[in-house]
């Protein structure tokens, strides 16, 4: 048998070592990253309070006429035993969002609705948070015990508010947030959306978020029940007025001021916004991806390298090992790919998607890698992060989130 050339042996050996590093990373993620891959973190134990506290629902909305008919009636129809009121903030819409909201309230009835308009945000405020501030200001006159911050594209089950408040009261939480179930109907949504939630949970393991004394903090902006007293203590939203990733910044501010927070997967909270094309999903991710990395090129480089090692190396090792006859490299890469696939399967089941999508996670991760790089490119071209047509180019647009 002819021996392989020395250079080829060294090259294959290097690939095998890289694949081993990827496998080690996956074993660490599997066992030591808060069991992020499990999907059983749902609303905690709850019991109905004796006295139901008052709640004001704040909905920032900018050019949301396309989704309001599928979302706002679900808020109006909330079956809540206490006093509740909705404040929709029409933030400079050009599609009649405010008038449509009033019309829906007249036709559907239910909870009282007030539509406000904050005017143009001053320097130093991102658009959505300026709208939230205006809504909280309107709500303050009602002296609510809780604020429900929810997006205009979120539909709630009739008992959603009731369940959120019961969970907050029973657990003594200052924030109870649910990661809304995003739409998965088009091919690209099936490929990209479950992975979006999977990656988020990997960065912010839900189990750690709910523990006191840990630094891990996050919320999902589509559904955040916030104790009004905790909001004042943490100076929400003024303290996070620069934030592009406002939900994570809010959670960190509340937890940093001594609050107890909780985040889990949704039950009866769904996004109705469609992302039928890859371009739609691309814009959703790249809008804030580089802000998540604090606009730091070194962090970007480390993120790209980490994504490549964790997600791209396993299939590359399998292919390289199979072609080159290196069974060790192929086996190590295959085992890493298998662990990856196994951790992704629960999220696919949560989204009622076929499990054959799980081995395609490296392809989806490669798309996210490109989206992250594109986010950085757009930032350095002066386009920055954006919300509904408003662009923020300041390099300090996101506060230091520790």
């Amino acid at each position: 048998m002819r021996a392989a050339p020395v250079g080829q042996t060294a090259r294959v050996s290097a690939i095998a070592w890289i694949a081993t590093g990827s496998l080690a990373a996956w074993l660490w993620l599997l066992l030591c990253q808060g069991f992020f891959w499990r999907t059983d973190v749902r609303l905690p134990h709850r019991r109905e309070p004796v006295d139901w506290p008052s709640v004001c629902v704040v909905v920032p909305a900018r050019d949301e006429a396309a989704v309001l008919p599928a979302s706002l009636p679900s808020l109006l129809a909330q079956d809540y035993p206490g006093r509740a009121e909705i404040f929709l903030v029409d933030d400079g819409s050009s599609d009649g969002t405010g008038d449509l909201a009033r019309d829906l309230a007249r036709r559907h009835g239910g909870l009282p609705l007030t539509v406000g308009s904050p005017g143009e945000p001053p320097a130093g405020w991102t658009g959505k948070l300026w709208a939230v501030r205006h809504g909280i200001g309107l709500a303050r006159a009602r002296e609510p015990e809780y604020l429900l911050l929810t997006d205009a594209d979120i539909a709630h089950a009739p008992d959603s508010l009731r369940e959120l408040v019961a969970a907050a009261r029973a657990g003594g939480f200052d924030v109870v947030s649910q990661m809304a179930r995003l739409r998965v109907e088009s091919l690209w949504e099936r490929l990209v959306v479950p992975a979006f939630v999977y990656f988020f949970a990997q960065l912010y393991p839900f189990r750690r978020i709910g523990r006191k004394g840990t630094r891990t903090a996050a919320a999902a902006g589509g559904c955040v029940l916030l104790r009004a007293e905790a909001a004042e203590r943490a100076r929400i939203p003024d303290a996070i007025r620069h934030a592009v990733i406002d939900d994570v910044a809010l959670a960190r501010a509340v937890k940093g001021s001594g609050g107890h927070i909780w985040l889990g997967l949704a039950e009866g909270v769904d996004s109705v916004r469609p992302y039928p094309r890859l371009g739609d999903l691309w814009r959703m991710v790249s809008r804030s991806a580089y802000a998540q990395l604090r606009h730091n090129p070194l962090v970007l480089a480390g993120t790209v390298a980490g994504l490549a090692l964790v997600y791209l190396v396993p299939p590359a090792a399998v292919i390289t090992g199979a072609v080159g006859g290196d069974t060790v490299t192929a086996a190590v890469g295959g085992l890493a790919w298998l662990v990856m696939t196994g951790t992704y399967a629960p999220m696919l089941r949560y989204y009622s998607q076929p499990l054959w999508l799980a081995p395609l996670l490296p392809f989806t991760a490669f798309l996210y890698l490109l989206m992250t790089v594109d986010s950085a490119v757009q930032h350095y071209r002066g386009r920055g992060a954006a919300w509904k047509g408003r662009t923020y180019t300041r390099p300090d647009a996101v506060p230091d989130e520790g």
Side-chain angles (χ1 to χ4, degrees):
M1 180 181 297
R2 187 175 63 183
V6 174
Q8 180 180 341
T9 302
R11 186 167 61 251
V12 172
S13 177
I15 294 173
W17 278 111
I18 294 172
T20 301
S22 181
L23 175 59
W26 272 112
L27 292 175
W28 183 85
L29 288 169
L30 176 68
L31 301 174
C32 304
Q33 187 59 2
F35 296 100
F36 76 95
W37 43 272
R38 295 181 58 174
T39 56
D40 57 349
V41 181
R42 309 295 175 89
L43 276 178
H45 172 74
R46 51 206 181 274
R47 60 183 180 275
E48 293 197 346
V50 176
D51 298 315
W52 288 92
S54 62
V55 181
C56 285
V57 182
V58 176
V59 186
R62 179 174 168 86
D63 293 333
E64 297 286 18
V67 297
L68 274 186
S71 61
L72 185 57
S74 73
L75 283 174
L76 295 167
Q78 284 301 297
D79 177 21
Y80 186 68
R83 180 166 59 88
E85 186 172 352
I86 302 170
F87 294 88
L88 185 141
V89 183
D90 181 9
D91 189 10
S93 300
S94 60
D95 64 353
T97 288
D99 291 336
L100 175 59
R102 295 185 186 94
D103 182 61
L104 289 169
R106 282 193 296 268
R107 285 192 279 128
H108 291 273
L111 298 185
L113 172 73
T114 299
V115 177
S117 179
E120 286 297 310
W125 281 84
T126 59
K128 182 179 176 181
L129 284 171
W130 178 243
V132 169
R133 185 181 192 274
H134 184 74
I136 292 177
L138 293 174
R140 190 169 289 122
R142 307 297 195 270
E143 299 183 344
E145 186 173 337
Y146 290 95
L147 300 162
L148 175 61
L149 311 180
T150 185
D151 289 342
D153 65 326
I154 302 298
H156 293 256
D159 63 347
S160 175
L161 181 56
R162 186 181 191 132
E163 293 294 296
L164 286 166
V165 171
R169 272 290 186 88
F173 294 107
D174 295 292
V175 168
V176 173
S177 180
Q178 287 187 291
M179 178 73 70
R181 197 186 303 256
L182 305 177
R183 200 187 87 143
V184 283
E185 295 182 13
S186 71
L187 173 63
W188 288 112
E189 286 171 337
R190 293 172 187 272
L191 281 171
V192 175
V193 166
F196 176 83
V197 182
Y198 172 87
F199 293 144
F200 186 94
Q202 192 177 90
L203 286 172
Y204 307 104
F206 295 163
R207 280 177 171 76
R208 292 181 182 172
I209 289 170
R211 295 177 191 161
K212 291 183 177 180
T214 65
R215 296 188 60 191
T216 306
C223 178
V224 178
L225 184 74
L226 172 64
R227 192 189 299 271
E229 181 183 353
E232 294 212 9
R233 186 173 64 243
R235 297 176 49 247
I236 300 296
D238 295 63
I240 59 171
R241 62 187 179 276
H242 299 310
V244 174
I245 310 174
D246 51 89
D247 43 13
V248 174
L250 180 150
R252 285 176 169 167
V254 172
K255 196 167 190 178
S257 63
H260 191 193
I261 68 176
W262 182 93
L263 171 64
L265 293 174
E267 296 174 349
V269 180
D270 300 279
S271 173
V272 299
R273 192 183 306 281
Y275 294 97
R277 298 174 297 273
L278 177 60
D280 301 317
L281 291 158
W282 194 288
R283 284 187 291 274
M284 178 190 76
V285 175
S286 64
R287 178 187 75 86
S288 58
Y290 197 39
Q292 176 68 52
L293 305 180
R294 305 177 192 173
H295 303 112
N296 188 321
L298 292 179
V299 177
L300 173 65
T303 299
V304 169
L307 285 171
L309 174 67
V310 173
Y311 291 99
L312 305 186
V313 165
V318 170
I319 295 170
T320 301
V323 172
D326 186 345
T327 56
V328 173
T329 297
V332 173
L335 185 56
W337 199 352
L338 182 63
V339 176
M340 180 198 315
T341 299
T343 63
Y344 190 39
M347 188 61 69
L348 289 174
R349 282 197 296 267
Y350 170 73
Y351 271 97
S352 301
Q353 297 304 301
L355 294 183
W356 60 260
L357 289 171
L360 301 182
L361 186 57
F363 171 73
T364 304
F366 180 63
L367 291 177
Y368 275 89
L369 186 155
L370 296 178
M371 294 175 196
T372 303
V373 172
D374 181 59
S375 179
V377 170
Q378 298 304 319
H379 171 77
Y380 290 114
R381 285 181 176 176
R383 297 177 186 177
W387 182 71
K388 291 290 180 179
R390 288 199 181 119
T391 302
Y392 312 99
T393 58
R394 289 177 47 186
D396 59 342
V398 179
D400 183 4
E401 296 176 347

